[in-house]
Amino acid sequence: MAIRLAVVGLGKIAQDQHLPAIAASADFELVCAASLQGESPRGHTYRAVDAMFAAEPSIEAVSLCQPPQVRFEAARAALLAGKHVLLEKPPGATLSEVVALTELAQEKGLTLFAAWHSRHAPAVTPACHWLEGKTIRSATITWREDVRIWHPGQKWIWQPGGLGVFDPGINALSIATKILPPFHLTEGILSYPSNQAAPIAADLRFATFDGVPVIADFDFRQTGPQTWDIRVETEEGVLLLSKGGSEMRIDGVAQSLPHEAEYPSLYARFAELIAAGESEVDVRPLRHVADAFLRAGHVEVEAFVEEEPGRQTVPA
Ligand code: NAP
């Protein structure tokens, strides 16, 4: 029997990835959704999660796809109502929220799945296997994308708790924490646009406990080709993960990879966790981001102004 699921927040990621992955999954059945503005492709659309849980007691699980700043209340309400919960990344706006939800899920005997979709990219598990037993000399993470292309109109990303460039950067950290030995932040610089509350770029130096450097360059101002690469230099060769973990090269040679798609794999994992009565909450990527806010220096850079749709200036 498929698990009866509701989706909360029908924005970009819900439309692009969650709804198609749920529709294609034999493990889940979409019952309804909670959305401030959208319409569920199946069942009723509720404007509030509490009303949804009251009206649809058969819901067994929810996927929370809103921005991180508003997810905690919905996650808590879902767990208190006895539902298993999938949290989009990042799992919260603070670490304390995530700890509170983890404890509540445990107390209630429910599954809490803090999903890191990039860990389900096809090259990530093969990279872990290739790195096993190798001596790492350095790792370089380059995550540079154009915020205007990938996050148009997402005001929440620039507000406190929205993470700015760490919204994509945390995906890189979710892969790095999976494939590399433990590392910690030693120094960094966060660049804040003069009119925004979140960084547009981050230049971070981490090191493993043996002193191996792990350098991260996150930038939202990239135009032209976009880069989502992790390069690991080892004594036995160089591993390059590119396109967010969807391609892998060893010493420049492209490797053949399993045909795995991130969100179908994520939902398969959610079903597996529910069946096993387990939770999966790895806070390390979020902890590194919190460390960057604690430990890195700040510089002010040019204001970030996004033109409102339909109000573009006509070139002279
Ligand atoms: P989005 O397009 O801005 O959608 C977020 C949706 O959340 C909104 O459309 C809205 O949907 C709902 N919402 C509820 N309260 C809101 C509030 N106060 N402000 C704004 N929206 C609110 O964002 P998204 O790209 O889907 O990202 C959502 C989450 O998924 C983020 O944590 C992001 O990191 C993660 N994610 C995004 C991507 C991506 O490529 N975009 C990829 C992976 C993960 P309703 O009107 O339906 O309530």
Side-chain angles (χ1 to χ4, degrees), residues 9-13 35-38 65-68 70-71 88-90 117 154 156 167 263:
L10 295 175
K12 185 173 182 339
I13 198 59
S35 168
L36 298 172
Q37 296 191 336
C65 304
Q66 324 93 305
V70 298
R71 234 185 279 129
E88 245 305 346
K89 50 68 46 169
H117 66 89
Q154 293 186 341
W156 58 265
D167 179 75
Y263 279 79

